[in-house]
Amino acid sequence: MSKIVNFVCSPEEAKNTAYLAQRIREELGLEYSTETNLDFRWRKRSIDARQKQIKINASFEVEIASKLPSRFSPQIFDLLQDNPKVVHIIGAGPAGLFAALQALTQGIKPIIFERGKDVRARRRDLAKLTRSHELNTESNYCFGEGGAGTYSDGKLYTRSKKRGDVQKVLEWLVQFGASEDILIDAHPHIGTNKLPQLIEAIRNQIIDAGGEIHFEHKLTDLELEADKIARIEINGIQLIPVSSLILATGHSARDIFELLHSKKMELRAKPFALGARVEHTQAFIDSLQYHGRASDEYLPAASYSLVTQVNERGVYSFCMCPGGIIAPCATSEGEVVTNGWSPSKRNNIYANSGIVVGIEPTDFKNPTDPFCCLNFQREIENKCWMAAGQTQKVPAQCLKDFVEGKKSEDFPRSSYQPGIVSINLKEVFPPFVYDRLRQAFIDFDQKMPGFITNNAVVHAPESRTSSPILIPRNPITFQHTQVSNFYPIAEGAGYAGGIVSAAIDGLNCIEKIAKTLINT
Ligand SMILES: Cc1cc2nc3c(=O)[nH]c(=O)nc-3n(C[C@H](O)[C@H](O)[C@H](O)COP(=O)(O)OP(=O)(O)OC[C@H]3O[C@@H](n4cnc5c(N)ncnc54)[C@H](O)[C@@H]3O)c2cc1C
């Protein structure tokens, strides 16, 4: 049985293996028996930067005089038997891919249809979008193999621990190529440069075990018979009979919401959040969070997590990307959208984060209209596109100028490569958003003195924080409330927010479907 050893040390000590070995011996009372072999490895690691003296909370697994067992047993994905039951999955984001992997463990054949391209081809479309503002509406930062999470920071922490097996998702990610650090760090992340290979490894596993993935295959219609979906239409031409259909199309597939609405399937407006992406220099965030110290080989690029209440509404930082870049995340013509990503080393000179205001259906005239939040999201994205010159450039304002309500004359450099245009953001945000953002910045400046500075740039809009529509389902069986063989899951349906929770919803959904299939 391995022993657990916990202690607190400095960041430098945490990187010094000889020190750690000696310290573990001391903690175990073995310092005088240096002939005893120790095998040890990190179990958990977190940074405590509350005081000037920054500390690492360290936890180790230790085996005395024998070897530690491997951290976890990799999942074996056996080749499917002949004539397996089949599940059709729409969308190859984290939810669709993890549902497919889980289906294989249950002897069910997953067939995925994904509107976008594979990760490599997708990368070329992202380059065109960034360099020449050419948007491919089927292959972009939100659509394509791996879904919205592929070209992201790959942050893996989740608040949805109660919803399912976070550990299993992390272990499978390690099995497919992520560093074991994600099993150790309190705030694990993978990085944009590492995610595509990992997604490719998942794809290869699905295919090797007998599943199918079809890229550039977009769900365009559904044929209902009684309370079931009998057939799906792909790319407007191909009709495919289905027995169980998982919908994992993410928060940006507006055509899917419109399709379901046209079929008279129930949808509900859902609260989401909208605001802007704020970028400081990473050196500034490091110095605030690390009490004047810079991030270095011992300390990662610092992050922040901020929240306040303004006029009874939450305003908070969202998807903070230390050492990251702001990306153009539009999916349709006539809009601009920002989000952020970071490479695994988080070594860019910028630190960006969404700062967003909670938006409720009751903010609109007709809160029972399922599209009221989505229409508002679309309207702001379009306003920003119009204001900044109808390209992928975004409206921007220096942070201090935003707070003072002044158009910016001059900007520091921005990481947003398509470019920024000076706009007073009062022109694009309605007062109930603008005023809350403004007050939140003032509150955040109290918590992080210096946060309000004209060396920081506010880029608008940050609008794809979660789905503005809920597709209702039975909470126990995950079946759509009206259509029994239809399973709306993860972020697009309103049941997840982030890579890990989306993957968990995919795993859980297959458990539900497997039970139904066994009885048929
Ligand atoms: C730039 C960026 C950075 C992010 N950073 C992080 C992060 O660091 N950590 C984190 O947890 N989350 C992050 N997110 C959010 C995260 O990516 C999503 O929460 C997650 O991907 C949701 O998973 P999903 O499977 O539900 O949907 P998605 O990942 O959105 O996948 C849906 C898939 O369905 C496909 N699809 C849509 N319509 C159709 C159709 N009609 N037919 C066929 N296929 C269709 C899409 O092309 C897409 O591939 C980021 C998002 C972006 C855009």
Side-chain angles (χ1 to χ4, degrees):
M1 182 73 176
S2 316
K3 289 187 184 300
I4 307 290
V5 176
N6 301 323
F7 53 85
V8 175
C9 60
S10 71
E12 290 75 11
E13 287 163 348
K15 294 266 176 171
N16 181 337
T17 311
Y19 168 84
L20 294 175
Q22 179 57 25
R23 177 76 185 264
I24 288 167
R25 280 179 187 282
E26 282 169 26
E27 296 286 333
L28 289 171
L30 294 172
E31 66 259 55
Y32 302 115
S33 55
T34 43
E35 70 282 359
T36 314
N37 280 330
L38 281 192
D39 192 18
F40 67 93
R41 68 174 168 230
W42 283 93
R43 180 175 159 270
K44 289 284 165 210
R45 178 168 52 207
S46 63
I47 300 170
D48 182 351
R50 285 172 299 176
Q51 307 293 329
K52 190 156 177 42
Q53 209 65 35
I54 298 170
K55 300 283 180 205
I56 304 293
N57 295 316
S59 178
F60 289 89
E61 289 173 85
V62 187
E63 200 66 58
I64 303 170
S66 61
K67 284 268 162 220
L68 280 162
S70 50
R71 233 183 242 283
F72 65 93
S73 309
Q75 175 74 46
I76 313 258
F77 295 92
D78 289 325
L79 188 61
L80 288 166
Q81 306 280 312
D82 288 344
N83 297 319
K85 306 257 187 201
V86 172
V87 60
H88 287 87
I89 302 171
I90 311 297
L97 292 174
F98 273 70
L101 289 172
Q102 181 70 357
L104 291 166
T105 69
Q106 307 288 313
I108 301 169
K109 174 173 175 161
I111 302 180
I112 303 184
F113 294 117
E114 164 56 54
R115 74 194 298 161
K117 300 181 186 173
D118 67 78
V119 276
R120 276 164 199 251
R122 193 178 167 192
R123 193 185 280 279
R124 287 192 281 276
D125 293 318
L126 300 186
K128 280 190 205 158
L129 177 63
T130 305
R131 289 197 199 117
S132 49
H133 303 241
E134 261 177 79
L135 172 70
N136 181 331
T137 56
E138 307 303 323
S139 173
N140 45 56
Y141 270 97
C142 293
F143 295 162
E145 186 178 19
T150 308
Y151 297 97
S152 75
D153 185 27
K155 280 180 285 295
L156 299 173
Y157 38 96
T158 173
R159 293 193 193 98
S160 62
K161 294 203 166 114
K162 282 191 212 133
R163 286 194 201 157
D165 202 342
V166 175
Q167 188 65 14
K168 176 166 165 175
V169 170
L170 297 182
E171 286 175 4
W172 282 13
L173 288 170
V174 171
Q175 180 167 344
F176 290 108
S179 155
E180 285 200 1
D181 285 350
I182 68 169
L183 303 173
I184 297 165
D185 287 325
H187 290 115
H189 78 108
I190 295 181
T192 315
N193 50 324
K194 303 261 164 104
L195 281 157
Q197 298 94 294
L198 194 153
I199 298 292
E200 246 177 312
I202 293 180
R203 180 218 306 163
N204 291 337
Q205 177 63 82
I206 292 169
I207 294 168
D208 289 351
E212 295 177 22
I213 304 193
H214 303 273
F215 298 112
E216 298 180 72
H217 277 59
K218 170 164 140 183
L219 174 72
T220 43
D221 204 356
L222 303 165
E223 284 187 9
L224 286 149
E225 278 175 13
D227 76 333
K228 290 198 166 157
I229 293 174
R231 281 166 293 278
I232 54 173
E233 183 197 78
I234 298 294
N235 290 342
I237 41 172
Q238 202 180 349
L239 273 184
I240 294 161
V242 294
S243 54
S244 306
L245 181 69
I246 295 181
L247 186 81
T249 43
H251 56 32
S252 291
R254 292 174 176 163
D255 46 1
I256 287 293
F257 297 131
E258 278 152 15
L259 171 64
L260 300 185
H261 191 58
S262 74
K263 299 287 166 186
K264 308 216 171 341
M265 288 192 195
E266 192 191 355
L267 301 174
R268 290 183 208 147
K270 181 184 145 295
F272 75 114
L274 181 144
R277 193 150 275 261
V278 175
E279 184 169 79
H280 291 82
T281 64
Q282 185 59 49
F284 174 70
I285 299 298
D286 285 347
S287 108
L288 277 184
Q289 301 296 71
Y290 293 153
H291 316 280
R293 181 175 168 172
S295 57
D296 52 25
E297 61 190 296
Y298 303 111
L299 277 176
S303 62
Y304 59 83
S305 172
L306 293 165
V307 61
T308 187
Q309 285 280 320
V310 184
N311 296 337
E312 296 173 359
R313 200 57 71 77
V315 186
Y316 52 93
S317 56
F318 170 81
C319 191
M320 202 255 149
C321 294
I325 293 285
I326 302 183
C329 293
T331 48
S332 306
E333 296 297 345
E335 66 188 30
V336 282
V337 176
T338 64
N339 204 313
W341 61 261
S342 315
S344 56
K345 290 193 174 146
R346 287 181 162 167
N347 54 358
N348 278 300
I349 59 169
Y350 308 99
N352 68 70
S353 177
I355 303 288
V356 291
V357 180
I359 306 291
E360 301 281 343
T362 47
D363 290 329
F364 308 106
K365 260 195 209 131
N366 185 1
T368 55
D369 172 3
F371 287 85
C372 65
C373 288
L374 189 148
N375 288 340
F376 174 68
Q377 183 190 46
R378 203 189 322 233
E379 180 193 318
I380 298 293
E381 292 169 359
N382 176 258
K383 255 188 174 174
C384 290
W385 177 77
M386 298 280 286
Q390 306 184 14
T391 64
Q392 284 304 306
K393 288 188 180 178
V394 292
Q397 197 170 6
C398 292
L399 183 46
K400 190 159 176 279
D401 291 340
F402 183 103
V403 172
E404 292 172 0
K406 286 197 302 214
K407 191 173 167 187
S408 298
E409 299 296 330
D410 201 15
F411 285 96
R413 277 183 64 191
S414 155
S415 72
Y416 184 77
Q417 287 182 22
I420 57 176
V421 176
S422 180
I423 303 284
N424 188 337
L425 295 177
K426 253 187 183 166
E427 290 171 23
V428 295
F429 290 127
F432 77 96
V433 172
Y434 181 88
D435 293 346
R436 285 189 170 105
L437 282 176
R438 186 179 168 279
Q439 183 56 48
F441 291 142
I442 294 169
D443 295 355
F444 295 161
D445 194 66
Q446 299 279 309
K447 297 176 189 183
M448 290 175 66
F451 190 86
I452 297 179
T453 160
N454 272 348
N455 285 328
V457 181
V458 185
H459 303 69
E462 170 85 28
S463 48
R464 305 283 173 94
T465 49
S466 70
S467 179
I469 288 194
L470 180 97
I471 309 177
R473 70 183 186 193
N474 179 312
I476 311 291
T477 64
F478 285 19
Q479 288 159 305
H480 184 264
T481 45
Q482 296 152 310
V483 184
S484 65
N485 64 341
F486 182 47
Y487 298 84
I489 67 166
E491 185 139 48
Y495 302 101
I499 295 168
V500 173
S501 60
I504 288 176
D505 212 45
L507 296 176
N508 290 347
C509 180
I510 291 295
E511 291 303 309
K512 315 283 179 188
I513 292 180
K515 281 191 195 137
T516 326
L517 289 181
I518 288 162
N519 299 328
T520 54

